[in-house]
Amino acid sequence: MFKHSQLESVKAWIAHPAHAGMPLHARIQRAVRQLIVDGALGPGKLLPASRALSKSLGVSRDTVEAAYSQLHAEGFIDRRVGSGSFVAQITEFAPGRRISQRDALLRNQAPSLSKRGSAMFRSGGVREMLIPRPFAHGVPETRTFPLQSWERLERQVRKEAGVQTLLHGDPQGTEPLRRAIADYVNLERGARATADRVLVLTSSQQALSLCANMLLDPGEAIFIEDPAYYGARKAFDAAGLECVPIRLDRQGLVIEQIIADPQRAKAVFLTPSHQFPTGATLALDRRLALIEWASRHQAWIIEDDYDSEFHYAGKPTACVQGLDPHDRTIYIGTFTKSLFPGLRIGYAVLPPQLVKPMTAARTLLDGHTAPMAQLTLARFMEGGHFGAHVRSMRSVYAERLDVLDRLIDKHLSGFVEARVPTGGLQMPCVLTGDLPERAAIDAARRVGIELLGLSALHATGKTKAGFLMGFAAYTPSEIEIAVRKLADTFTALKRGSASMRNH
C-alpha cells in the first residue's frame, strides 16, 4: 500500500491545474510513474490493489486499471496473477542510483557546452518581443496588413498545387518566389540578380550565420560597422570570428582603415542603404572603393539591406551588389520588415560560385523550405500586392515618424535630441541631459515602454548615450500616449536623482 505521503502526492498531481487537460487515468499513471522515477517507490514495492486505490482516490476501478495497464506496458510495473502489481526491477531508479535534487540543479545550471555553444549562450541570442510595445524597434504595422488578399491567394495555391504544398520544398526555395525576388531587387534596388542566384531562407539572421560559417574560419577577422546591428555581431561572435570595428561618419563607413590594412580581414559587413542604428547612407565613392578592395583581395562584402523599402526623402540608393561586377557581394534581404514578422522568409542573392555550397549548408540547419508560404508570397508579389502594400506603408510610416519627431520636440526636448532618419522603422535619439542611458531605459521599461540603448551597439567606448525609438507599428495616438508617459518618467527620474545628490 501507499504511505499517506505518497497517496497525497498522487492526489496533488491529479488535482494540479497544469494537468487538467489529461484524461484521469493518464494523470494517475503519470503520478505513480513519477513516484517510481523519483525512487519513492523502490523496485519490488507492492502497489495498492486497483479496488483499494480507486476507493482512496474517489475514482472508478476501471480508471485505475487503465493507469496500471499503461504502467505495465511501459515497463514500470510487473503484474502477477493472484499476487498483485509490483514496481519493476529498474536499477536506474533504485534509491542508491538517484541523483539528488541539488546535483540535478547544479547540472542544469552548468551545462557542458562547446566553446562555440558557450559563446552562443552568453550572447543571449537575438530575441524579439512577442507582442511589441512602444517603442520596440524594427517592427512593422501588421494590423492593417491586407490579410484577406493573402488568404485568397493562399487558397488559390492550395487548390492548384494540392498535396505538393504538403511535401518537402526545394532547399534553395520555390522557383516562383526566387523569380519574383530577383525581379523585385533588380527593379527596386538596382541589383544584378537571377532566380538561380537567389537562396530563400527563414530570415536575414540565418543568412548572416551561413555567411559567417561558410566564408570564414574561426579566428579569422571580419570588418564591421561601429556601431553595428547586434544580430550580425552575435552571428560572427558565435562563429568564432574576430570582429574588427570600423567607425562611421555622416557618409557611412570610414574606409581608410580597411584600405590601410586591406588583408586584415576576409570580409566586411555593411548596412549601406540605411545604416543600423545611425541611419547614414554609404557614399558612392566608398562603395566603389570597397568593391575594388574585395575584388583585389578576394574578400567578401556582406550587404544587409534590411529595410530599404521605406525611404522618406528622395529615391533610395541602389544596392552595392548591383554595382559589383566581380561577384564578391552577398546581398541579404527580408520580408520581416516589409510585410510581417510571422512570415519567416528572408533571402540572399549570391555570387554564382556560392549558390550550391550555401544551399547545401542550409539543409544542415533546417532541411528545406516551406512551399505554401513561399508560393503565396510569390503570387502576392507577382500580382502587385507587395508593391502596393509597401507604398501604402511608406506613407503611413512617414507620417508616424513626423508625429514622433514633433512630440519629442514638444515633450522630451529637455532630455534627448532626435536624429531624424531619411528612412527605416526607428529613430535614434541622443541623451542631452545628465540621465544615464541604462537608468533611462530601465525606468522606461518599468512603465511599459521599450527602448534599445545605443551604447551596447558600439564595440568601442566612443559613443553618445541614447536609444532607438521604433515608430512604425504604433498609431499617432499610441505614440503620443507613450511619449507623454516617457516624459513623466524621465522627469521623475531626474527629480529623484537631484534629490539623491542634495542628500
Side-chain angles (χ1 to χ4, degrees), residues 424-446:
L425 309 181
Q426 55 271 328
M427 177 164 69
C429 295
V430 175
L431 285 162
T432 56
D434 55 0
L435 285 184
E437 180 185 287
R438 185 73 262 162
I441 292 171
D442 290 343
R445 185 169 292 136
R446 286 194 292 270

Side-chain angles (χ1 to χ4, degrees), residues 135-434:
F135 292 97
H137 70 283
V139 184
E141 174 61 78
T142 57
R143 289 169 290 188
T144 58
F145 181 77
L147 198 55
Q148 288 184 335
S149 297
W150 182 272
E151 290 172 339
R152 175 174 55 80
L153 295 171
E154 190 173 59
R155 287 193 297 270
Q156 289 179 6
V157 168
R158 282 201 302 268
K159 183 177 180 180
E160 296 177 21
V163 295
Q164 290 298 317
T165 61
L166 307 181
L167 302 176
H168 289 80
D170 185 337
Q172 192 177 339
T174 63
E175 198 276 337
L177 180 57
R178 290 189 282 112
R179 186 175 61 246
I181 289 172
D183 290 344
Y184 168 72
V185 296
N186 288 342
L187 178 64
E188 298 292 337
R189 303 297 301 120
R192 298 167 58 250
T194 54
D196 60 341
R197 293 178 60 171
V198 175
L199 174 61
V200 180
L201 300 163
T202 57
S203 63
S204 57
Q205 192 65 35
Q206 187 182 49
L208 292 170
S209 294
L210 276 174
C211 289
N213 286 284
M214 292 294 290
L215 304 180
L216 296 98
D217 288 316
E220 290 187 319
I222 180 170
F223 293 123
I224 64 168
E225 300 163 326
D226 188 32
Y229 170 54
Y230 52 88
R233 190 190 302 277
K234 289 181 177 184
F236 302 148
D237 286 344
L241 308 185
E242 177 195 356
C243 292
V244 181
I246 306 295
R247 71 181 182 88
L248 303 165
D249 61 18
R250 292 187 177 184
Q251 292 186 303
L253 196 74
V254 178
I255 63 171
E256 280 74 14
Q257 184 178 343
I258 296 175
I259 303 303
D261 192 7
Q263 295 180 309
R264 171 74 187 279
K266 292 180 62 175
V268 60
F269 170 75
L270 303 169
T271 51
S273 297
H274 179 231
Q275 202 278 329
F276 186 94
T278 66
T281 298
L282 186 62
L284 177 61
D285 60 335
R286 299 184 186 186
R287 294 173 183 233
L288 297 175
L290 285 174
I291 289 170
E292 180 61 27
W293 162 79
S295 173
R296 182 174 300 173
H297 299 284
Q298 292 299 284
W300 299 105
I301 299 171
I302 302 171
E303 178 181 14
D304 186 358
D305 205 31
Y306 63 102
D307 66 1
S308 62
E309 291 88 357
F310 304 114
H311 201 80
Y312 313 124
K315 289 185 67 67
T317 307
C319 66
V320 172
Q321 192 267 357
L323 300 172
D324 181 2
H326 312 294
D327 287 329
R328 303 302 302 180
T329 302
I330 296 100
Y331 176 90
I332 297 171
T334 178
F335 294 98
T336 297
K337 306 290 191 294
S338 54
L339 292 179
F340 54 94
L343 183 57
R344 305 311 300 144
I345 295 180
Y347 59 91
V349 179
L350 300 170
Q353 67 270 32
L354 290 183
V355 174
K356 288 185 178 179
M358 288 284 201
T359 302
R362 78 80 44 87
T363 66
L364 298 176
L365 298 178
D366 59 2
H368 65 99
T369 61
M372 177 66 78
Q374 291 188 37
L375 292 171
T376 303
L377 175 56
R379 295 200 176 197
F380 194 76
M381 298 177 76
E382 291 163 356
H385 304 286
F386 178 72
H389 179 68
V390 167
R391 288 191 296 272
S392 174
M393 290 298 98
R394 191 181 294 141
S395 175
V396 169
Y397 297 164
E399 178 194 359
R400 293 180 180 183
L401 173 60
D402 183 59
V403 167
L404 179 60
D405 180 36
R406 286 190 283 106
L407 288 170
I408 288 176
D409 185 58
K410 182 177 180 180
H411 299 288
L412 291 172
S413 58
F415 302 100
V416 300
E417 176 187 322
R419 302 288 174 85
V420 183
T422 58
L425 309 181
Q426 55 271 328
M427 177 164 69
C429 295
V430 175
L431 285 162
T432 56
D434 55 0

Side-chain angles (χ1 to χ4, degrees), residues 453-482:
L454 295 178
S455 297
L457 303 177
H458 287 75
T460 61
K462 300 175 182 178
T463 174
K464 291 185 178 180
F467 43 76
L468 281 181
M469 299 180 74
F471 55 83
Y474 319 106
T475 66
S477 61
E478 290 170 337
I479 291 173
E480 181 170 6
I481 291 169

